[in-house]
């Protein structure tokens, strides 16, 4: 398994404590911009692009969650970061769970947003991968994805934000997007959740059709001492739609 040198950005570099942030399938590190001003004022924030997303290289697929997690461990080694807190949304949260299970010595505190430890049916993810590969772009799935990312009310209020995230999605290389879909299809971290020792905050969106709140409830019930917060209204990209509330929840958890 060869790790990819992930594209990343560092903000708040004068601080010793570090928060690593991994985003959703089909986004770039820019999705965390609403959180930056407040978080980087008190902590060093390292945002990264998953393999095949944003500025990160896109090796041939398929990918696995082990490979995505290995990329992050390689990034920590490259930045000489022994131990960090981690915040991830969607596939970024899946990577966060993998890290907390497989490299517990590297993870201080954990924030999991709109994510799952197991997201069937696998055939649906494989079908999405096939659609994107055949088209050579995520464009055919973009409308359906955007409907899951934001509530209808927010999309009508902020079409500019929706358009910004659509550009991220359709700009993702088809092979990388499809390969990450295949990683999600094979994902099952449920057996390892009870071993997570990092203090964990789980955030879900009440109106999230991509990963409904019951997935967050299942994680919070399985991880010892985990806390669950359900935001209403909020769809999949809760960190964008409910930016202030999510930022406050992250900051509060990190400073406990």
């Amino acid at each position: 398994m060869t790790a990819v040198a992930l594209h990343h950005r560092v903000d708040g570099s004068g601080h010793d404590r570090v928060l690593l942030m991994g985003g959703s399938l089909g986004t770039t590190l820019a999705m965390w911009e609403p959180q930056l001003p407040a978080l980087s004022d008190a902590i060093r924030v390292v945002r990264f692009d998953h393999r095949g997303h944003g500025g990160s290289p896109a090796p041939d697929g398929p990918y696995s969650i082990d490979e995505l997690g290995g990329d992050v461990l390689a990034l920590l080694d490259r930045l000489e970061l022994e131990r960090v807190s981690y915040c991830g949304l969607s596939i970024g949260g899946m990577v966060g769970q993998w890290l907390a299970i497989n490299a517990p010595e590297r993870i201080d505190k954990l924030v999991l947003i709109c994510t799952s430890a197991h997201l069937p049916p696998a055939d649906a993810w494989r079908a999405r991968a096939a659609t994107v590969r055949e088209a050579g772009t995520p464009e055919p799935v973009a409308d359906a994805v955007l409907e899951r990312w934001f509530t209808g009310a927010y999309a009508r209020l902020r079409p500019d934000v929706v358009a910004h995230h659509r550009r991220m999605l359709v700009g993702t290389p088809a092979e990388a997007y499809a390969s990450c879909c295949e990683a999600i299809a094979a994902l099952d971290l449920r057996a390892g959740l009870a071993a997570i020792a990092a203090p964990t905050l789980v955030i879900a969106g009440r109106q999230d059709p991509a990963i409904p709140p019951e997935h967050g409830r299942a994680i919070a019930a399985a991880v010892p001492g985990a806390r669950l917060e359900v935001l209403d209204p909020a769809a999949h990209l809760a960190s964008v739609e409910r930016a202030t509330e999510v930022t406050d929840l992250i900051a509060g958890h990190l400073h406990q």
Side-chain angles (χ1 to χ4, degrees):
M1 183 173 70
T2 302
V4 165
L6 297 178
H7 174 247
H8 65 283
R9 292 184 183 171
V10 181
D11 294 274
S13 57
H15 303 292
D16 292 332
R17 297 175 64 215
V18 179
L19 173 65
L20 194 64
M21 305 188 84
S24 178
L25 173 65
T27 68
T28 74
L29 52 74
M31 68 157 281
W32 296 113
E33 287 175 357
Q35 278 67 52
L36 270 187
L39 294 181
S40 64
D41 204 36
I43 196 167
R44 195 184 338 165
V45 177
V46 180
R47 297 172 293 153
F48 68 88
D49 290 324
H50 298 289
R51 60 169 58 193
H53 289 63
S56 290
D60 292 338
Y63 304 159
S64 69
I65 197 68
D66 291 0
E67 289 174 311
L68 296 173
D71 292 342
V72 176
L73 290 177
L75 175 63
L76 293 180
D77 290 343
R78 184 154 51 103
L79 297 178
E80 299 182 341
L81 297 172
E82 289 299 320
R83 189 171 174 87
V84 299
S85 290
Y86 182 95
C87 173
L89 187 148
S90 192
I91 196 171
M94 297 168 189
V95 171
Q97 293 168 75
W98 185 92
L99 291 167
I101 293 166
N102 291 280
E105 72 282 359
R106 309 300 292 270
I107 303 301
D108 183 18
K109 294 186 177 181
L110 186 62
V111 181
L112 304 172
I113 307 173
C114 298
T115 192
S116 179
H118 179 58
L119 195 57
D123 286 349
W125 288 104
R126 296 189 187 105
R128 190 192 298 194
T131 297
V132 170
R133 278 201 180 96
E134 183 178 356
T137 170
E139 182 66 45
V141 304
D143 287 344
V145 169
L146 268 294
E147 288 176 1
R148 294 178 175 92
W149 280 3
F150 303 104
T151 62
Y154 183 83
R156 290 188 293 272
L157 181 67
R158 295 300 306 270
D160 56 320
V161 175
V162 176
H164 175 56
H165 287 80
R166 185 189 179 95
R167 288 191 292 272
M168 289 188 210
L169 173 61
V170 300
T172 305
E175 177 61 25
Y177 186 93
S179 295
C180 284
C181 287
E182 290 164 339
I184 295 172
L187 177 83
D188 192 349
L189 297 169
R190 291 174 294 178
L193 294 178
I196 293 179
T200 300
L201 169 66
V202 182
I203 302 172
R206 179 78 66 188
Q207 290 78 26
D208 183 358
I211 304 183
E214 53 262 32
H215 290 267
R217 290 192 189 97
I219 294 171
V223 175
R227 175 171 135 243
L228 173 68
E229 294 284 347
V230 180
L231 297 177
D232 184 5
H236 194 53
L237 293 193
S239 62
V240 179
E241 184 165 351
R242 301 295 300 275
T244 299
E245 292 83 357
V246 169
T247 302
D248 288 348
L249 286 169
I250 295 170
H253 185 64
L254 296 182
H255 290 100
Q256 283 180 347

